[in-house]
Amino acid sequence: SQELEQSPQSLIVQEGKNLTINCTSSKTLYGLYWYKQKYGEGLIFLMMLQKGGEEKSHEKITAKLDEKKQQSSLHITASQPSHAGIYLCGAATITGNQFYFGTGTSLTVIP
Amino acid sequence: KAGVTQTPRYLIKTRGQQVTLSCSPISGHRSVSWYQQTPGQGLQFLFEYFSETQRNKGNFPGRFSGRQFSNSRSEMNVSTLELGDSALYLCASSLDDSSYNSPLHFGNGTRLTVT
Protein backbone atom coordinates (compact mmCIF):
# COMPACT_ATOMS: atom_id res chain seq x y z
CA SER A 1 0.00 0.00 0.00
CA GLN A 2 1.09 3.57 -0.47
CA GLU A 3 2.03 5.32 2.73
CA LEU A 4 2.45 8.99 3.37
CA GLU A 5 4.62 10.16 6.22
CA GLN A 6 4.28 13.69 7.49
CA SER A 7 6.76 15.62 9.59
CA PRO A 8 6.73 17.09 12.04
CA GLN A 9 3.83 15.50 13.87
CA SER A 10 3.11 18.78 15.65
CA LEU A 11 4.31 22.34 15.53
CA ILE A 12 3.96 25.23 17.94
CA VAL A 13 5.10 28.55 16.52
CA GLN A 14 4.94 32.19 17.47
CA GLU A 15 2.72 34.35 15.31
CA GLY A 16 4.69 35.83 12.44
CA LYS A 17 7.12 32.93 12.13
CA ASN A 18 7.58 30.86 8.99
CA LEU A 19 7.15 27.10 9.03
CA THR A 20 7.39 24.06 6.77
CA ILE A 21 5.52 20.76 6.82
CA ASN A 22 6.78 17.79 4.83
CA CYS A 23 4.98 14.86 3.24
CA THR A 24 7.03 11.90 2.02
CA SER A 25 5.94 8.89 0.02
CA SER A 26 7.69 5.59 -0.57
CA LYS A 27 6.24 5.54 -4.08
CA THR A 28 5.75 8.00 -6.90
CA LEU A 29 2.91 10.37 -6.23
CA TYR A 30 0.19 10.86 -8.81
CA GLY A 31 -1.67 13.88 -7.62
CA LEU A 32 -0.72 15.29 -4.23
CA TYR A 33 -3.30 17.23 -2.26
CA TRP A 34 -3.01 19.39 0.81
CA TYR A 35 -5.91 19.81 3.20
CA LYS A 36 -6.49 21.67 6.43
CA GLN A 37 -8.79 20.46 9.19
CA LYS A 38 -10.17 22.21 12.22
CA TYR A 39 -10.71 19.85 15.12
CA GLY A 40 -13.82 17.72 14.67
CA GLU A 41 -14.68 19.21 11.31
CA GLY A 42 -14.26 18.29 7.69
CA LEU A 43 -11.20 18.83 5.55
CA ILE A 44 -10.75 22.00 3.58
CA PHE A 45 -8.98 21.65 0.24
CA LEU A 46 -5.90 23.88 -0.03
CA MET A 47 -3.95 22.88 -3.13
CA MET A 48 -3.34 20.13 -5.64
CA LEU A 49 0.04 19.35 -7.24
CA GLN A 50 0.52 16.95 -10.10
CA LYS A 51 3.74 17.68 -11.92
CA GLY A 52 7.24 17.19 -10.58
CA GLY A 53 8.71 20.55 -9.62
CA GLU A 54 5.29 22.16 -9.51
CA GLU A 55 4.77 24.93 -6.97
CA LYS A 56 1.53 26.62 -6.04
CA SER A 57 0.69 29.45 -3.69
CA HIS A 58 -2.46 30.67 -2.05
CA GLU A 59 -2.24 33.72 0.17
CA LYS A 60 0.63 32.92 2.55
CA ILE A 61 0.73 29.19 1.90
CA THR A 62 3.03 27.65 -0.71
CA ALA A 63 3.21 23.98 -1.63
CA LYS A 64 5.76 22.23 -3.81
CA LEU A 65 6.13 18.76 -5.26
CA ASP A 66 9.71 17.67 -5.79
CA GLU A 67 11.06 16.57 -9.18
CA LYS A 68 10.95 12.88 -8.32
CA LYS A 69 7.35 13.25 -7.14
CA GLN A 70 7.97 11.51 -3.86
CA GLN A 71 7.97 14.44 -1.48
CA SER A 72 5.93 17.55 -1.03
CA SER A 73 6.39 20.49 1.30
CA LEU A 74 3.92 23.05 2.58
CA HIS A 75 5.36 26.38 3.66
CA ILE A 76 3.51 29.05 5.60
CA THR A 77 4.97 32.54 5.66
CA ALA A 78 4.33 34.92 8.56
CA SER A 79 1.98 32.52 10.36
CA GLN A 80 -1.25 33.76 11.93
CA PRO A 81 -3.59 32.22 14.52
CA SER A 82 -6.01 31.52 11.65
CA HIS A 83 -3.47 29.08 10.24
CA ALA A 84 -3.84 26.82 13.26
CA GLY A 85 -5.28 23.37 12.60
CA ILE A 86 -4.29 19.97 11.31
CA TYR A 87 -2.64 19.80 7.91
CA LEU A 88 -2.97 16.62 5.92
CA CYS A 89 -1.45 15.56 2.66
CA GLY A 90 -3.32 13.12 0.48
CA ALA A 91 -2.45 11.23 -2.65
CA ALA A 92 -3.97 8.91 -5.20
CA THR A 93 -2.48 5.59 -6.25
CA ILE A 94 -1.10 5.24 -9.75
CA THR A 95 -4.36 3.67 -10.85
CA GLY A 96 -6.31 6.43 -9.17
CA ASN A 97 -8.57 3.95 -7.51
CA GLN A 98 -7.80 4.80 -3.94
CA PHE A 99 -6.87 7.82 -1.94
CA TYR A 100 -4.44 7.86 1.00
CA PHE A 101 -3.85 10.47 3.65
CA GLY A 102 -0.76 11.31 5.61
CA THR A 103 -0.55 11.09 9.37
CA GLY A 104 -1.26 14.80 9.80
CA THR A 105 0.60 17.74 11.32
CA SER A 106 -1.00 19.68 14.14
CA LEU A 107 -0.15 23.38 13.98
CA THR A 108 -0.60 25.79 16.90
CA VAL A 109 0.13 29.47 16.38
CA ILE A 110 0.65 31.48 19.54
CA PRO A 111 -0.47 35.13 19.30
CA LYS B 1 -23.19 26.02 -4.63
CA ALA B 2 -23.97 24.03 -1.50
CA GLY B 3 -21.14 21.96 -0.08
CA VAL B 4 -21.16 18.33 0.98
CA THR B 5 -23.84 17.79 3.60
CA GLN B 6 -23.65 15.03 6.17
CA THR B 7 -26.39 14.09 8.60
CA PRO B 8 -26.69 13.66 11.45
CA ARG B 9 -23.87 15.70 12.92
CA TYR B 10 -23.69 13.65 16.11
CA LEU B 11 -24.86 10.18 17.05
CA ILE B 12 -24.73 8.15 20.22
CA LYS B 13 -25.41 4.44 19.92
CA THR B 14 -25.06 1.36 22.06
CA ARG B 15 -22.91 -1.67 21.28
CA GLY B 16 -24.72 -4.13 19.06
CA GLN B 17 -26.97 -1.55 17.44
CA GLN B 18 -26.73 -0.45 13.84
CA VAL B 19 -26.46 3.03 12.40
CA THR B 20 -27.01 4.75 9.05
CA LEU B 21 -25.20 7.90 8.05
CA SER B 22 -26.19 10.08 5.14
CA CYS B 23 -24.22 12.19 2.70
CA SER B 24 -25.40 14.59 0.00
CA PRO B 25 -22.60 15.48 -2.44
CA ILE B 26 -22.02 18.76 -4.18
CA SER B 27 -24.42 19.14 -7.08
CA GLY B 28 -22.93 17.57 -10.19
CA HIS B 29 -20.45 15.40 -8.32
CA ARG B 30 -20.90 11.72 -9.06
CA SER B 31 -18.20 10.17 -6.91
CA VAL B 32 -18.76 9.82 -3.19
CA SER B 33 -16.27 8.30 -0.79
CA TRP B 34 -16.33 7.63 2.92
CA TYR B 35 -13.57 7.84 5.51
CA GLN B 36 -13.21 6.95 9.15
CA GLN B 37 -11.06 9.23 11.30
CA THR B 38 -9.81 8.23 14.74
CA PRO B 39 -6.97 9.64 16.86
CA GLY B 40 -5.07 6.37 16.68
CA GLN B 41 -5.50 5.41 13.03
CA GLY B 42 -5.95 8.76 11.37
CA LEU B 43 -8.00 8.98 8.19
CA GLN B 44 -8.82 5.62 6.70
CA PHE B 45 -10.60 4.95 3.44
CA LEU B 46 -13.84 2.98 3.73
CA PHE B 47 -15.29 2.86 0.22
CA GLU B 48 -16.07 4.86 -2.86
CA TYR B 49 -19.18 4.93 -5.00
CA PHE B 50 -19.64 6.15 -8.52
CA SER B 51 -22.89 5.99 -10.46
CA GLU B 52 -24.54 3.82 -7.81
CA THR B 53 -21.72 1.26 -7.94
CA GLN B 54 -19.10 0.58 -5.34
CA ARG B 55 -15.87 1.21 -7.20
CA ASN B 56 -13.33 0.76 -4.41
CA LYS B 57 -13.31 -0.62 -0.92
CA GLY B 58 -10.91 -0.19 1.96
CA ASN B 59 -9.85 -2.74 4.51
CA PHE B 60 -12.86 -2.74 6.79
CA PRO B 61 -15.05 -5.65 7.95
CA GLY B 62 -18.31 -6.46 6.26
CA ARG B 63 -20.23 -4.73 9.04
CA PHE B 64 -19.45 -1.54 7.15
CA SER B 65 -21.51 -1.13 4.02
CA GLY B 66 -22.78 1.63 1.83
CA ARG B 67 -24.82 2.51 -1.16
CA GLN B 68 -25.37 5.34 -3.57
CA PHE B 69 -28.64 6.46 -5.04
CA SER B 70 -29.43 7.69 -8.52
CA ASN B 71 -29.22 11.33 -7.35
CA SER B 72 -25.64 10.58 -6.09
CA ARG B 73 -26.64 10.83 -2.45
CA SER B 74 -24.96 8.13 -0.40
CA GLU B 75 -25.53 6.30 2.83
CA MET B 76 -23.24 4.15 4.89
CA ASN B 77 -24.37 1.60 7.40
CA VAL B 78 -22.55 0.02 10.29
CA SER B 79 -24.14 -3.02 11.84
CA THR B 80 -23.44 -4.66 15.20
CA LEU B 81 -21.63 -1.61 16.50
CA GLU B 82 -18.47 -2.03 18.54
CA LEU B 83 -16.80 0.43 20.89
CA GLY B 84 -13.97 0.77 18.39
CA ASP B 85 -16.36 2.13 15.79
CA SER B 86 -16.49 5.42 17.66
CA ALA B 87 -15.04 7.91 15.22
CA LEU B 88 -15.62 10.87 12.98
CA TYR B 89 -17.04 9.60 9.69
CA LEU B 90 -16.30 11.86 6.76
CA CYS B 91 -17.90 11.86 3.36
CA ALA B 92 -16.25 13.40 0.33
CA SER B 93 -17.44 14.04 -3.18
CA SER B 94 -15.55 14.77 -6.36
CA LEU B 95 -16.32 15.75 -9.90
CA ASP B 96 -13.97 13.42 -11.73
CA ASP B 97 -15.21 10.05 -12.83
CA SER B 98 -11.98 8.11 -13.29
CA SER B 99 -8.89 9.01 -11.36
CA TYR B 100 -8.22 11.52 -8.67
CA ASN B 101 -7.53 14.43 -10.96
CA SER B 102 -9.99 16.62 -9.16
CA PRO B 103 -9.90 17.24 -5.44
CA LEU B 104 -12.14 15.65 -2.87
CA HIS B 105 -14.55 18.01 -1.15
CA PHE B 106 -15.43 16.99 2.38
CA GLY B 107 -18.47 17.37 4.57
CA ASN B 108 -18.18 18.27 8.24
CA GLY B 109 -18.61 14.68 9.26
CA THR B 110 -20.76 12.66 11.61
CA ARG B 111 -19.36 12.09 15.07
CA LEU B 112 -20.39 8.60 16.16
CA THR B 113 -20.01 7.57 19.78
CA VAL B 114 -20.63 3.94 20.73
CA THR B 115 -21.23 3.22 24.40
Side-chain angles (χ1 to χ4, degrees):
Chain A
S1 64
Q2 183 154 6
E3 294 181 350
L4 297 174
E5 292 290 331
Q6 282 186 240
S7 63
Q9 197 170 18
S10 65
L11 263 177
I12 301 174
V13 300
Q14 203 75 37
E15 182 177 359
K17 295 293 186 184
N18 302 335
L19 62 104
T20 299
I21 298 168
N22 294 303
C23 174
T24 303
S25 172
S26 57
K27 300 180 181 179
T28 300
L29 297 165
Y30 293 90
L32 188 286
Y33 303 77
W34 282 100
Y35 287 86
K36 178 186 174 184
Q37 183 181 31
K38 291 285 190 183
Y39 178 75
E41 297 181 6
L43 280 64
I44 299 168
F45 170 71
L46 295 174
M47 276 172 277
M48 174 177 71
L49 305 164
Q50 291 185 296
K51 300 176 184 176
E54 186 175 11
E55 184 173 311
K56 286 187 177 178
S57 294
H58 176 66
E59 296 179 345
K60 294 184 178 180
I61 301 176
T62 300
K64 184 173 181 180
L65 183 61
D66 76 353
E67 291 289 344
K68 292 184 179 178
K69 295 174 69 175
Q70 287 192 275
Q71 185 173 25
S72 177
S73 59
L74 183 85
H75 184 78
I76 298 178
T77 303
S79 58
Q80 301 169 355
S82 61
H83 288 129
I86 300 170
Y87 288 82
L88 293 127
C89 61
T93 58
I94 185 172
T95 54
N97 64 357
Q98 198 158 135
F99 205 84
Y100 295 90
F101 283 94
T103 46
T105 296
S106 175
L107 172 64
T108 302
V109 181
I110 301 172
Chain B
K1 222 177 202 183
V4 177
T5 304
Q6 289 188 247
T7 56
R9 191 80 171 85
Y10 301 94
L11 263 180
I12 299 175
K13 291 286 186 178
T14 305
R15 270 181 301 176
Q17 288 186 314
Q18 77 164 26
V19 67
T20 299
L21 313 182
S22 180
C23 172
S24 292
I26 291 173
S27 178
H29 285 195
R30 297 166 66 191
S31 170
V32 173
S33 50
W34 289 88
Y35 294 82
Q36 182 196 63
Q37 187 177 34
T38 58
Q41 299 296 321
L43 260 172
Q44 292 188 289
F45 172 75
L46 281 157
F47 28 65
E48 184 221 356
Y49 287 87
F50 179 77
S51 292
E52 301 180 64
T53 302
Q54 186 181 86
R55 191 161 62 174
N56 296 295
K57 190 177 191 304
N59 190 27
F60 277 80
R63 299 185 297 106
F64 292 81
S65 63
R67 58 178 176 169
Q68 186 180 35
F69 303 95
S70 58
N71 61 359
S72 293
R73 190 177 71 85
S74 177
E75 287 181 348
M76 69 162 279
N77 184 277
V78 188
S79 62
T80 320
L81 284 166
E82 300 177 359
L83 294 179
D85 296 333
S86 295
L88 180 66
Y89 289 88
L90 292 163
C91 167
S93 73
S94 68
L95 183 63
D96 198 72
D97 62 358
S98 54
S99 61
Y100 289 96
N101 288 322
S102 57
L104 301 176
H105 295 270
F106 285 82
N108 280 328
T110 294
R111 170 74 64 184
L112 172 65
T113 301
V114 182
T115 61

